[in-house]
């Protein structure tokens, strides 16, 4: 049994396809297939059911592959320990960010990191919360920035900042002149939401329950529309289709008079989200995480409340 063979079976389990797994491992498919067959013969078990267009994992295979993932993670940890002995800030850091945070946090964060720790370039990936947590467990990411609440994850976590929500309206909308808007007033408007899978959609529905009854098919769906990104929704609002809720960091100037949108804060207590960074407990470059946290704190994000750094959970 070799680490290479374990890498191959994990790749096949993820891709559900021998050819795609071979491409991901940068080897020829026959090489990968022979190595996996050798491992199955050595163990005396069948790891994969081969048939049809997609490969499936046997029940015992799933247990073995889960153990293989842990072995590969621990192997990576050994390499990280050796690297940390030299300089924990040296070398790339693979950072994931959810879609509704990335466009607004990453530009100032990357600039801060270049200025303070140029020896630690970021390898960035934007994705959904569930996918980022999966990539963290698999060792494909070192850390990820996302928003609470999170599903059970079993990782270390550090809070970064609290971010209030604001209402975006078309220029000239009657609400444009208001100083604040109660969340309950949203139920009388046509609302634009992100589609399913975006945690920001769930957060908006959680803190603005008045919108929930318009977000399910067959119950007012004609009065709510879904978009694929916050920037797409902003353009839809600007065209007069409806209103939306945005994270405060996405609005550089609440009093901007030149754009096609107006922004109105919520009445107190304003709905908000808490942004955090999470990483595997086995990740050994703690100084790298601390550098990310310090650079986030130094970012001039509009309207957010930076939180003091505490001991990681």
């Amino acid at each position: 049994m070799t680490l290479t063979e374990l890498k191959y079976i994990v790749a096949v389990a993820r891709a559900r396809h021998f050819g795609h797994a071979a491409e991901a491992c940068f080897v020829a498919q026959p090489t990968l297939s022979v190595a996996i067959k050798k491992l199955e013969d050595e163990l005396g078990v069948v790891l994969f059911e081969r048939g049809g267009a997609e490969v499936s994992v046997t029940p015992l295979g799933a247990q073995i592959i889960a153990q293989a993932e842990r072995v590969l993670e621990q192997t990576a940890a050994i390499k990280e320990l050796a690297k940390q002995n030299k300089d924990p800030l040296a070398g790339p850091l693979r950072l994931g960010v959810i879609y509704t945070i990335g466009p607004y946090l990453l530009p100032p964060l990357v600039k801060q990191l270049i200025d303070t720790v140029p020896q630690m370039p970021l390898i960035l990936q934007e994705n959904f919360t569930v996918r980022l947590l999966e990539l963290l467990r698999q060792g494909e990411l070192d850390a990820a920035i996302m928003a609470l609440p999170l599903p059970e994850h079993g990782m270390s976590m550090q809070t970064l900042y609290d971010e209030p929500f604001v209402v975006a309206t078309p220029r000239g909308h009657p609400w444009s002149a208001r100083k604040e808007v109660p969340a309950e007033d949203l139920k009388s408007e046509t609302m634009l939401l992100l589609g399913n899978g975006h945690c920001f959609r769930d957060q908006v529905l959680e803190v603005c329950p008045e919108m929930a009854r318009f977000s399910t098919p067959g119950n007012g769906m004609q009065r709510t529309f879904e978009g694929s990104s916050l920037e797409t929704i902003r353009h839809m609002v600007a065209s007069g289709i409806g209103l939306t809720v945005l994270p405060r960091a996405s609005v550089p100037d609440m009093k901007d008079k030149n754009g096609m949108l107006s922004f109105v804060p919520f009445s107190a207590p304003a709905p908000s989200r808490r942004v955090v960074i999470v990483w595997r407990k086995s990740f050994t470059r703690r100084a790298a995480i601390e550098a990310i946290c310090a650079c986030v704190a130094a970012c001039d994000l509009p309207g957010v409340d930076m939180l003091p750094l505490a001991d990681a959970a």
Side-chain angles (χ1 to χ4, degrees), residues 148-149 163-166 181-186 193 199-212 245-246 266-267 269-274:
L148 299 180
E163 179 178 26
F165 301 157
V166 299
V181 175
E184 63 183 14
D185 285 5
L186 297 176
L193 299 173
C199 64
F200 184 69
R201 169 198 173 93
D202 299 330
Q203 292 155 9
V204 170
L205 292 178
E206 179 179 352
V207 297
C208 305
E210 292 77 13
M211 294 173 61
V245 175
L246 296 174
F266 279 98
S267 302
S272 65
R273 64 178 177 179
R274 175 156 292 186

PDB file of all heavy atoms in Angstrom, residues 148-149 163-166 181-186 193 199-212 245-246 266-267 269-274:
ATOM      1  N   LEU A 148     -21.652  32.965   9.521  1.00  0.00           N
ATOM      2  CA  LEU A 148     -22.489  32.138  10.385  1.00  0.00           C
ATOM      3  C   LEU A 148     -23.953  32.320  10.006  1.00  0.00           C
ATOM      4  O   LEU A 148     -24.330  33.367   9.467  1.00  0.00           O
ATOM      5  CB  LEU A 148     -22.279  32.539  11.847  1.00  0.00           C
ATOM      6  CG  LEU A 148     -20.853  32.376  12.410  1.00  0.00           C
ATOM      7  CD1 LEU A 148     -20.827  32.831  13.871  1.00  0.00           C
ATOM      8  CD2 LEU A 148     -20.362  30.946  12.283  1.00  0.00           C
ATOM      9  N   PRO A 149     -24.784  31.303  10.259  1.00  0.00           N
ATOM     10  CA  PRO A 149     -24.476  30.018  10.904  1.00  0.00           C
ATOM     11  C   PRO A 149     -23.881  29.030   9.908  1.00  0.00           C
ATOM     12  O   PRO A 149     -24.108  29.132   8.700  1.00  0.00           O
ATOM     13  CB  PRO A 149     -25.849  29.555  11.388  1.00  0.00           C
ATOM     14  CG  PRO A 149     -26.800  30.117  10.371  1.00  0.00           C
ATOM     15  CD  PRO A 149     -26.234  31.451   9.984  1.00  0.00           C
ATOM     16  N   GLU A 163     -21.398  42.326  10.026  1.00  0.00           N
ATOM     17  CA  GLU A 163     -21.739  43.144   8.861  1.00  0.00           C
ATOM     18  C   GLU A 163     -23.249  43.335   8.770  1.00  0.00           C
ATOM     19  O   GLU A 163     -23.989  42.374   8.582  1.00  0.00           O
ATOM     20  CB  GLU A 163     -21.221  42.476   7.590  1.00  0.00           C
ATOM     21  CG  GLU A 163     -21.538  43.234   6.318  1.00  0.00           C
ATOM     22  CD  GLU A 163     -20.963  42.563   5.086  1.00  0.00           C
ATOM     23  OE1 GLU A 163     -20.757  41.327   5.119  1.00  0.00           O
ATOM     24  OE2 GLU A 163     -20.726  43.265   4.095  1.00  0.00           O
ATOM     25  N   PRO A 164     -23.737  44.571   8.911  1.00  0.00           N
ATOM     26  CA  PRO A 164     -25.176  44.794   8.788  1.00  0.00           C
ATOM     27  C   PRO A 164     -25.643  44.691   7.339  1.00  0.00           C
ATOM     28  O   PRO A 164     -24.843  44.776   6.405  1.00  0.00           O
ATOM     29  CB  PRO A 164     -25.348  46.221   9.316  1.00  0.00           C
ATOM     30  CG  PRO A 164     -24.024  46.872   9.079  1.00  0.00           C
ATOM     31  CD  PRO A 164     -22.997  45.791   9.224  1.00  0.00           C
ATOM     32  N   PHE A 165     -26.944  44.499   7.165  1.00  0.00           N
ATOM     33  CA  PHE A 165     -27.559  44.489   5.843  1.00  0.00           C
ATOM     34  C   PHE A 165     -28.201  45.847   5.578  1.00  0.00           C
ATOM     35  O   PHE A 165     -28.589  46.565   6.513  1.00  0.00           O
ATOM     36  CB  PHE A 165     -28.633  43.402   5.745  1.00  0.00           C
ATOM     37  CG  PHE A 165     -28.130  42.003   6.003  1.00  0.00           C
ATOM     38  CD1 PHE A 165     -29.003  41.006   6.411  1.00  0.00           C
ATOM     39  CD2 PHE A 165     -26.794  41.677   5.840  1.00  0.00           C
ATOM     40  CE1 PHE A 165     -28.552  39.724   6.650  1.00  0.00           C
ATOM     41  CE2 PHE A 165     -26.324  40.396   6.078  1.00  0.00           C
ATOM     42  CZ  PHE A 165     -27.204  39.412   6.495  1.00  0.00           C
ATOM     43  N   VAL A 166     -28.324  46.189   4.300  1.00  0.00           N
ATOM     44  CA  VAL A 166     -29.008  47.422   3.900  1.00  0.00           C
ATOM     45  C   VAL A 166     -29.976  47.097   2.768  1.00  0.00           C
ATOM     46  O   VAL A 166     -29.845  46.071   2.090  1.00  0.00           O
ATOM     47  CB  VAL A 166     -28.009  48.507   3.445  1.00  0.00           C
ATOM     48  CG1 VAL A 166     -27.062  48.878   4.580  1.00  0.00           C
ATOM     49  CG2 VAL A 166     -27.222  48.051   2.223  1.00  0.00           C
ATOM     50  N   VAL A 181     -35.561  51.711   7.295  1.00  0.00           N
ATOM     51  CA  VAL A 181     -36.693  50.883   6.876  1.00  0.00           C
ATOM     52  C   VAL A 181     -36.854  49.727   7.855  1.00  0.00           C
ATOM     53  O   VAL A 181     -35.885  48.984   8.093  1.00  0.00           O
ATOM     54  CB  VAL A 181     -36.470  50.316   5.456  1.00  0.00           C
ATOM     55  CG1 VAL A 181     -37.601  49.361   5.085  1.00  0.00           C
ATOM     56  CG2 VAL A 181     -36.375  51.436   4.442  1.00  0.00           C
ATOM     57  N   PRO A 182     -38.049  49.540   8.430  1.00  0.00           N
ATOM     58  CA  PRO A 182     -38.284  48.335   9.241  1.00  0.00           C
ATOM     59  C   PRO A 182     -38.302  47.092   8.342  1.00  0.00           C
ATOM     60  O   PRO A 182     -38.810  47.144   7.215  1.00  0.00           O
ATOM     61  CB  PRO A 182     -39.670  48.585   9.856  1.00  0.00           C
ATOM     62  CG  PRO A 182     -39.941  50.047   9.664  1.00  0.00           C
ATOM     63  CD  PRO A 182     -39.201  50.450   8.435  1.00  0.00           C
ATOM     64  N   ALA A 183     -37.759  45.987   8.829  1.00  0.00           N
ATOM     65  CA  ALA A 183     -37.698  44.769   8.028  1.00  0.00           C
ATOM     66  C   ALA A 183     -39.085  44.309   7.588  1.00  0.00           C
ATOM     67  O   ALA A 183     -39.259  43.783   6.489  1.00  0.00           O
ATOM     68  CB  ALA A 183     -36.998  43.652   8.805  1.00  0.00           C
ATOM     69  N   GLU A 184     -40.087  44.551   8.420  1.00  0.00           N
ATOM     70  CA  GLU A 184     -41.432  44.076   8.101  1.00  0.00           C
ATOM     71  C   GLU A 184     -42.016  44.764   6.872  1.00  0.00           C
ATOM     72  O   GLU A 184     -42.922  44.240   6.226  1.00  0.00           O
ATOM     73  CB  GLU A 184     -42.351  44.265   9.293  1.00  0.00           C
ATOM     74  CG  GLU A 184     -42.545  45.726   9.695  1.00  0.00           C
ATOM     75  CD  GLU A 184     -43.401  45.872  10.937  1.00  0.00           C
ATOM     76  OE1 GLU A 184     -43.628  44.861  11.635  1.00  0.00           O
ATOM     77  OE2 GLU A 184     -43.852  47.002  11.200  1.00  0.00           O
ATOM     78  N   ASP A 185     -41.485  45.952   6.508  1.00  0.00           N
ATOM     79  CA  ASP A 185     -42.015  46.662   5.342  1.00  0.00           C
ATOM     80  C   ASP A 185     -41.657  45.972   4.032  1.00  0.00           C
ATOM     81  O   ASP A 185     -42.262  46.259   2.992  1.00  0.00           O
ATOM     82  CB  ASP A 185     -41.485  48.098   5.314  1.00  0.00           C
ATOM     83  CG  ASP A 185     -42.157  48.987   6.345  1.00  0.00           C
ATOM     84  OD1 ASP A 185     -42.957  48.448   7.143  1.00  0.00           O
ATOM     85  OD2 ASP A 185     -41.877  50.198   6.350  1.00  0.00           O
ATOM     86  N   LEU A 186     -40.682  45.067   4.063  1.00  0.00           N
ATOM     87  CA  LEU A 186     -40.270  44.382   2.837  1.00  0.00           C
ATOM     88  C   LEU A 186     -41.390  43.537   2.255  1.00  0.00           C
ATOM     89  O   LEU A 186     -41.405  43.266   1.049  1.00  0.00           O
ATOM     90  CB  LEU A 186     -39.052  43.488   3.108  1.00  0.00           C
ATOM     91  CG  LEU A 186     -37.776  44.202   3.561  1.00  0.00           C
ATOM     92  CD1 LEU A 186     -36.698  43.180   3.891  1.00  0.00           C
ATOM     93  CD2 LEU A 186     -37.280  45.162   2.497  1.00  0.00           C
ATOM     94  N   LEU A 193     -33.914  38.128  -4.772  1.00  0.00           N
ATOM     95  CA  LEU A 193     -33.077  37.318  -3.888  1.00  0.00           C
ATOM     96  C   LEU A 193     -32.051  36.533  -4.687  1.00  0.00           C
ATOM     97  O   LEU A 193     -32.231  36.288  -5.877  1.00  0.00           O
ATOM     98  CB  LEU A 193     -33.933  36.322  -3.099  1.00  0.00           C
ATOM     99  CG  LEU A 193     -35.002  36.859  -2.160  1.00  0.00           C
ATOM    100  CD1 LEU A 193     -35.841  35.711  -1.629  1.00  0.00           C
ATOM    101  CD2 LEU A 193     -34.365  37.624  -1.019  1.00  0.00           C
ATOM    102  N   CYS A 199     -25.651  31.067   0.833  1.00  0.00           N
ATOM    103  CA  CYS A 199     -25.969  31.197   2.252  1.00  0.00           C
ATOM    104  C   CYS A 199     -26.508  32.587   2.562  1.00  0.00           C
ATOM    105  O   CYS A 199     -27.278  32.756   3.513  1.00  0.00           O
ATOM    106  CB  CYS A 199     -24.756  30.874   3.113  1.00  0.00           C
ATOM    107  SG  CYS A 199     -23.369  32.003   2.889  1.00  0.00           S
ATOM    108  N   PHE A 200     -26.127  33.596   1.764  1.00  0.00           N
ATOM    109  CA  PHE A 200     -26.639  34.939   2.025  1.00  0.00           C
ATOM    110  C   PHE A 200     -28.149  34.984   1.850  1.00  0.00           C
ATOM    111  O   PHE A 200     -28.850  35.704   2.566  1.00  0.00           O
ATOM    112  CB  PHE A 200     -25.970  35.958   1.100  1.00  0.00           C
ATOM    113  CG  PHE A 200     -26.385  37.388   1.382  1.00  0.00           C
ATOM    114  CD1 PHE A 200     -25.988  38.014   2.548  1.00  0.00           C
ATOM    115  CD2 PHE A 200     -27.178  38.087   0.495  1.00  0.00           C
ATOM    116  CE1 PHE A 200     -26.371  39.311   2.826  1.00  0.00           C
ATOM    117  CE2 PHE A 200     -27.567  39.394   0.756  1.00  0.00           C
ATOM    118  CZ  PHE A 200     -27.157  40.010   1.924  1.00  0.00           C
ATOM    119  N   ARG A 201     -28.667  34.219   0.890  1.00  0.00           N
ATOM    120  CA  ARG A 201     -30.122  34.127   0.722  1.00  0.00           C
ATOM    121  C   ARG A 201     -30.759  33.607   2.021  1.00  0.00           C
ATOM    122  O   ARG A 201     -31.742  34.167   2.513  1.00  0.00           O
ATOM    123  CB  ARG A 201     -30.454  33.188  -0.436  1.00  0.00           C
ATOM    124  CG  ARG A 201     -31.942  32.809  -0.512  1.00  0.00           C
ATOM    125  CD  ARG A 201     -32.109  31.557  -1.376  1.00  0.00           C
ATOM    126  NE  ARG A 201     -33.481  31.071  -1.327  1.00  0.00           N
ATOM    127  CZ  ARG A 201     -34.427  31.401  -2.202  1.00  0.00           C
ATOM    128  NH1 ARG A 201     -34.148  32.221  -3.196  1.00  0.00           N
ATOM    129  NH2 ARG A 201     -35.647  30.915  -2.098  1.00  0.00           N
ATOM    130  N   ASP A 202     -30.173  32.523   2.573  1.00  0.00           N
ATOM    131  CA  ASP A 202     -30.723  31.937   3.802  1.00  0.00           C
ATOM    132  C   ASP A 202     -30.624  32.920   4.961  1.00  0.00           C
ATOM    133  O   ASP A 202     -31.526  32.993   5.810  1.00  0.00           O
ATOM    134  CB  ASP A 202     -29.989  30.645   4.141  1.00  0.00           C
ATOM    135  CG  ASP A 202     -30.131  29.600   3.035  1.00  0.00           C
ATOM    136  OD1 ASP A 202     -31.158  29.609   2.344  1.00  0.00           O
ATOM    137  OD2 ASP A 202     -29.196  28.786   2.874  1.00  0.00           O
ATOM    138  N   GLN A 203     -29.522  33.681   5.018  1.00  0.00           N
ATOM    139  CA  GLN A 203     -29.346  34.646   6.092  1.00  0.00           C
ATOM    140  C   GLN A 203     -30.375  35.770   5.994  1.00  0.00           C
ATOM    141  O   GLN A 203     -30.930  36.210   7.004  1.00  0.00           O
ATOM    142  CB  GLN A 203     -27.929  35.217   6.056  1.00  0.00           C
ATOM    143  CG  GLN A 203     -26.862  34.206   6.416  1.00  0.00           C
ATOM    144  CD  GLN A 203     -25.510  34.537   5.822  1.00  0.00           C
ATOM    145  OE1 GLN A 203     -25.298  35.606   5.259  1.00  0.00           O
ATOM    146  NE2 GLN A 203     -24.577  33.595   5.937  1.00  0.00           N
ATOM    147  N   VAL A 204     -30.639  36.216   4.766  1.00  0.00           N
ATOM    148  CA  VAL A 204     -31.628  37.272   4.577  1.00  0.00           C
ATOM    149  C   VAL A 204     -33.012  36.774   4.985  1.00  0.00           C
ATOM    150  O   VAL A 204     -33.767  37.467   5.666  1.00  0.00           O
ATOM    151  CB  VAL A 204     -31.630  37.763   3.115  1.00  0.00           C
ATOM    152  CG1 VAL A 204     -32.824  38.675   2.855  1.00  0.00           C
ATOM    153  CG2 VAL A 204     -30.331  38.489   2.800  1.00  0.00           C
ATOM    154  N   LEU A 205     -33.348  35.545   4.577  1.00  0.00           N
ATOM    155  CA  LEU A 205     -34.647  34.993   4.933  1.00  0.00           C
ATOM    156  C   LEU A 205     -34.766  34.756   6.443  1.00  0.00           C
ATOM    157  O   LEU A 205     -35.849  34.859   7.011  1.00  0.00           O
ATOM    158  CB  LEU A 205     -34.896  33.684   4.176  1.00  0.00           C
ATOM    159  CG  LEU A 205     -35.077  33.818   2.661  1.00  0.00           C
ATOM    160  CD1 LEU A 205     -35.277  32.450   2.024  1.00  0.00           C
ATOM    161  CD2 LEU A 205     -36.263  34.720   2.332  1.00  0.00           C
ATOM    162  N   GLU A 206     -33.629  34.449   7.076  1.00  0.00           N
ATOM    163  CA  GLU A 206     -33.660  34.196   8.517  1.00  0.00           C
ATOM    164  C   GLU A 206     -33.892  35.483   9.296  1.00  0.00           C
ATOM    165  O   GLU A 206     -34.677  35.522  10.249  1.00  0.00           O
ATOM    166  CB  GLU A 206     -32.348  33.545   8.964  1.00  0.00           C
ATOM    167  CG  GLU A 206     -32.301  33.265  10.453  1.00  0.00           C
ATOM    168  CD  GLU A 206     -30.997  32.606  10.875  1.00  0.00           C
ATOM    169  OE1 GLU A 206     -30.201  32.241   9.995  1.00  0.00           O
ATOM    170  OE2 GLU A 206     -30.780  32.462  12.087  1.00  0.00           O
ATOM    171  N   VAL A 207     -33.202  36.555   8.894  1.00  0.00           N
ATOM    172  CA  VAL A 207     -33.320  37.805   9.655  1.00  0.00           C
ATOM    173  C   VAL A 207     -34.459  38.679   9.147  1.00  0.00           C
ATOM    174  O   VAL A 207     -34.865  39.629   9.820  1.00  0.00           O
ATOM    175  CB  VAL A 207     -31.997  38.608   9.615  1.00  0.00           C
ATOM    176  CG1 VAL A 207     -30.897  37.825  10.281  1.00  0.00           C
ATOM    177  CG2 VAL A 207     -31.624  38.983   8.198  1.00  0.00           C
ATOM    178  N   CYS A 208     -34.969  38.381   7.961  1.00  0.00           N
ATOM    179  CA  CYS A 208     -36.112  39.112   7.412  1.00  0.00           C
ATOM    180  C   CYS A 208     -37.209  38.101   7.084  1.00  0.00           C
ATOM    181  O   CYS A 208     -37.492  37.827   5.909  1.00  0.00           O
ATOM    182  CB  CYS A 208     -35.723  39.884   6.160  1.00  0.00           C
ATOM    183  SG  CYS A 208     -34.342  41.016   6.379  1.00  0.00           S
ATOM    184  N   PRO A 209     -37.822  37.497   8.099  1.00  0.00           N
ATOM    185  CA  PRO A 209     -38.797  36.429   7.850  1.00  0.00           C
ATOM    186  C   PRO A 209     -39.994  36.899   7.030  1.00  0.00           C
ATOM    187  O   PRO A 209     -40.698  36.076   6.453  1.00  0.00           O
ATOM    188  CB  PRO A 209     -39.226  36.010   9.266  1.00  0.00           C
ATOM    189  CG  PRO A 209     -38.872  37.171  10.147  1.00  0.00           C
ATOM    190  CD  PRO A 209     -37.660  37.783   9.532  1.00  0.00           C
ATOM    191  N   GLU A 210     -40.210  38.220   6.951  1.00  0.00           N
ATOM    192  CA  GLU A 210     -41.307  38.723   6.141  1.00  0.00           C
ATOM    193  C   GLU A 210     -41.154  38.340   4.675  1.00  0.00           C
ATOM    194  O   GLU A 210     -42.122  38.252   3.929  1.00  0.00           O
ATOM    195  CB  GLU A 210     -41.394  40.258   6.260  1.00  0.00           C
ATOM    196  CG  GLU A 210     -41.810  40.761   7.629  1.00  0.00           C
ATOM    197  CD  GLU A 210     -40.673  40.707   8.640  1.00  0.00           C
ATOM    198  OE1 GLU A 210     -39.513  40.516   8.219  1.00  0.00           O
ATOM    199  OE2 GLU A 210     -40.932  40.833   9.848  1.00  0.00           O
ATOM    200  N   MET A 211     -39.895  38.116   4.253  1.00  0.00           N
ATOM    201  CA  MET A 211     -39.650  37.764   2.853  1.00  0.00           C
ATOM    202  C   MET A 211     -39.852  36.282   2.587  1.00  0.00           C
ATOM    203  O   MET A 211     -39.998  35.869   1.441  1.00  0.00           O
ATOM    204  CB  MET A 211     -38.222  38.169   2.452  1.00  0.00           C
ATOM    205  CG  MET A 211     -37.982  39.661   2.456  1.00  0.00           C
ATOM    206  SD  MET A 211     -36.247  40.071   2.179  1.00  0.00           S
ATOM    207  CE  MET A 211     -35.975  39.358   0.568  1.00  0.00           C
ATOM    208  N   ALA A 212     -39.832  35.454   3.623  1.00  0.00           N
ATOM    209  CA  ALA A 212     -39.830  34.008   3.433  1.00  0.00           C
ATOM    210  C   ALA A 212     -41.074  33.524   2.712  1.00  0.00           C
ATOM    211  O   ALA A 212     -41.016  32.613   1.892  1.00  0.00           O
ATOM    212  CB  ALA A 212     -39.686  33.297   4.777  1.00  0.00           C
ATOM    213  N   VAL A 245     -31.823  43.165  -0.686  1.00  0.00           N
ATOM    214  CA  VAL A 245     -31.040  43.355   0.539  1.00  0.00           C
ATOM    215  C   VAL A 245     -29.594  43.029   0.217  1.00  0.00           C
ATOM    216  O   VAL A 245     -29.302  41.996  -0.400  1.00  0.00           O
ATOM    217  CB  VAL A 245     -31.564  42.454   1.677  1.00  0.00           C
ATOM    218  CG1 VAL A 245     -30.668  42.573   2.913  1.00  0.00           C
ATOM    219  CG2 VAL A 245     -32.997  42.824   2.023  1.00  0.00           C
ATOM    220  N   LEU A 246     -28.666  43.908   0.629  1.00  0.00           N
ATOM    221  CA  LEU A 246     -27.249  43.727   0.330  1.00  0.00           C
ATOM    222  C   LEU A 246     -26.427  43.752   1.618  1.00  0.00           C
ATOM    223  O   LEU A 246     -26.812  44.406   2.594  1.00  0.00           O
ATOM    224  CB  LEU A 246     -26.746  44.855  -0.588  1.00  0.00           C
ATOM    225  CG  LEU A 246     -27.341  44.952  -1.985  1.00  0.00           C
ATOM    226  CD1 LEU A 246     -26.824  46.208  -2.677  1.00  0.00           C
ATOM    227  CD2 LEU A 246     -27.011  43.714  -2.808  1.00  0.00           C
ATOM    228  N   PHE A 266     -31.536  49.535   7.659  1.00  0.00           N
ATOM    229  CA  PHE A 266     -32.674  48.969   8.383  1.00  0.00           C
ATOM    230  C   PHE A 266     -32.844  49.701   9.717  1.00  0.00           C
ATOM    231  O   PHE A 266     -31.883  50.228  10.290  1.00  0.00           O
ATOM    232  CB  PHE A 266     -32.455  47.487   8.665  1.00  0.00           C
ATOM    233  CG  PHE A 266     -32.781  46.578   7.506  1.00  0.00           C
ATOM    234  CD1 PHE A 266     -31.786  46.115   6.662  1.00  0.00           C
ATOM    235  CD2 PHE A 266     -34.093  46.186   7.271  1.00  0.00           C
ATOM    236  CE1 PHE A 266     -32.084  45.272   5.602  1.00  0.00           C
ATOM    237  CE2 PHE A 266     -34.400  45.340   6.221  1.00  0.00           C
ATOM    238  CZ  PHE A 266     -33.399  44.879   5.376  1.00  0.00           C
ATOM    239  N   SER A 267     -34.070  49.692  10.212  1.00  0.00           N
ATOM    240  CA  SER A 267     -34.315  50.184  11.565  1.00  0.00           C
ATOM    241  C   SER A 267     -33.636  49.247  12.567  1.00  0.00           C
ATOM    242  O   SER A 267     -33.504  48.045  12.340  1.00  0.00           O
ATOM    243  CB  SER A 267     -35.818  50.227  11.848  1.00  0.00           C
ATOM    244  OG  SER A 267     -36.487  51.052  10.909  1.00  0.00           O
ATOM    245  N   PRO A 269     -33.179  46.836  15.723  1.00  0.00           N
ATOM    246  CA  PRO A 269     -31.852  46.274  15.487  1.00  0.00           C
ATOM    247  C   PRO A 269     -31.699  45.820  14.040  1.00  0.00           C
ATOM    248  O   PRO A 269     -32.517  45.043  13.542  1.00  0.00           O
ATOM    249  CB  PRO A 269     -31.791  45.082  16.447  1.00  0.00           C
ATOM    250  CG  PRO A 269     -33.226  44.647  16.568  1.00  0.00           C
ATOM    251  CD  PRO A 269     -34.062  45.893  16.465  1.00  0.00           C
ATOM    252  N   ALA A 270     -30.687  46.344  13.346  1.00  0.00           N
ATOM    253  CA  ALA A 270     -30.500  46.032  11.933  1.00  0.00           C
ATOM    254  C   ALA A 270     -30.085  44.575  11.765  1.00  0.00           C
ATOM    255  O   ALA A 270     -29.228  44.082  12.512  1.00  0.00           O
ATOM    256  CB  ALA A 270     -29.432  46.938  11.339  1.00  0.00           C
ATOM    257  N   PRO A 271     -30.683  43.846  10.806  1.00  0.00           N
ATOM    258  CA  PRO A 271     -30.217  42.480  10.529  1.00  0.00           C
ATOM    259  C   PRO A 271     -28.767  42.501  10.062  1.00  0.00           C
ATOM    260  O   PRO A 271     -28.329  43.452   9.407  1.00  0.00           O
ATOM    261  CB  PRO A 271     -31.165  42.003   9.429  1.00  0.00           C
ATOM    262  CG  PRO A 271     -31.712  43.236   8.810  1.00  0.00           C
ATOM    263  CD  PRO A 271     -31.773  44.267   9.911  1.00  0.00           C
ATOM    264  N   SER A 272     -28.023  41.471  10.420  1.00  0.00           N
ATOM    265  CA  SER A 272     -26.599  41.435  10.092  1.00  0.00           C
ATOM    266  C   SER A 272     -26.124  39.996   9.999  1.00  0.00           C
ATOM    267  O   SER A 272     -26.876  39.058  10.283  1.00  0.00           O
ATOM    268  CB  SER A 272     -25.788  42.183  11.152  1.00  0.00           C
ATOM    269  OG  SER A 272     -25.887  41.520  12.405  1.00  0.00           O
ATOM    270  N   ARG A 273     -24.885  39.831   9.624  1.00  0.00           N
ATOM    271  CA  ARG A 273     -24.256  38.508   9.622  1.00  0.00           C
ATOM    272  C   ARG A 273     -22.882  38.618  10.261  1.00  0.00           C
ATOM    273  O   ARG A 273     -22.239  39.680  10.223  1.00  0.00           O
ATOM    274  CB  ARG A 273     -24.131  37.950   8.200  1.00  0.00           C
ATOM    275  CG  ARG A 273     -23.211  38.749   7.278  1.00  0.00           C
ATOM    276  CD  ARG A 273     -23.123  38.098   5.914  1.00  0.00           C
ATOM    277  NE  ARG A 273     -22.303  38.881   4.983  1.00  0.00           N
ATOM    278  CZ  ARG A 273     -22.058  38.519   3.716  1.00  0.00           C
ATOM    279  NH1 ARG A 273     -22.583  37.394   3.232  1.00  0.00           N
ATOM    280  NH2 ARG A 273     -21.298  39.265   2.939  1.00  0.00           N
ATOM    281  N   ARG A 274     -22.424  37.517  10.850  1.00  0.00           N
ATOM    282  CA  ARG A 274     -21.090  37.452  11.450  1.00  0.00           C
ATOM    283  C   ARG A 274     -20.169  36.665  10.525  1.00  0.00           C
ATOM    284  O   ARG A 274     -20.452  35.515  10.173  1.00  0.00           O
ATOM    285  CB  ARG A 274     -21.140  36.813  12.834  1.00  0.00           C
ATOM    286  CG  ARG A 274     -19.773  36.606  13.479  1.00  0.00           C
ATOM    287  CD  ARG A 274     -19.859  36.524  14.982  1.00  0.00           C
ATOM    288  NE  ARG A 274     -20.234  37.826  15.554  1.00  0.00           N
ATOM    289  CZ  ARG A 274     -20.279  38.081  16.869  1.00  0.00           C
ATOM    290  NH1 ARG A 274     -19.979  37.119  17.736  1.00  0.00           N
ATOM    291  NH2 ARG A 274     -20.614  39.268  17.310  1.00  0.00           N
TER     292      ARG A 274
END
